[in-house]
Structure formats: structure tokens, C-alpha cells
Amino acid sequence: MASREASIVQGCIDEAHLWGAWVQKFHGSKWTSRGIPDLLICMWGLLIAVECKKPGAEPTASQRLVHARIRRAGGTVIVAHSRAELRTSLVELAVRMNRRVPPKAAA
């Protein structure tokens, strides 16, 4: 992962913590399946997969396949190119689910 993407991942982790979420970062290794999202966020009884990408970059074919499998299983997938993009997606999800947006996250 490029250092720019690493800073996006860290920003997304920090954002998720503002929402009171549990967050797990996945580090690729020879034991990790291809295409696993960078982050799993658990909040509101949902498990949300987050793929962090540099601006202009899109998920790979293996990532898109895993995203489709997660969605078919009823999961939520967010592709975030920045912390602000993750925040926007979480606010939209909160509105759809009639959940409270934390004051710090709404800023």
C-alpha cells in the first residue's frame, strides 16, 4: 500500500472511531484472500466493509468480486478515497437508518 493510501486508511480509522465504531484493519499476507477490504467497521449492528483508495484509483477485479459477495450476503461496502468521503457515506447511511450522527462527525 502506498503511503498516500496509508494516510487515507488512517483517516478512515480515525473517522470510524468518532462514530463509536469497532474497526479492524486487514493487512495483506499470504494467508489473506485476495480482494479483502482494507477495513471492517462494526456499528449499529452492521458490519461495513471499507475499501480505501487513492484519489482516482478504483477497486481491482478481485476487490470488486469480494464487494459483490459481501453485498449479496446483505453487507454494506463503501469505497472511500478520503476520510471526508467515508464521513459522507456514513452520514447517508445514518439518515437511511434513522441513526444519530455524532456531533464531531457532522463537522
Side-chain angles (χ1 to χ4, degrees), residues 11-12 14-16 18-19 44 78 80 82-94 101-107:
C12 288
D14 294 343
E15 183 65 29
L18 283 179
W19 290 74
W44 308 322
I78 296 171
S82 67
R83 178 179 179 165
E85 189 172 358
L86 176 62
R87 179 183 310 122
T88 298
S89 295
L90 292 176
V91 167
E92 290 170 359
L93 186 60
V101 175
K104 290 181 182 178

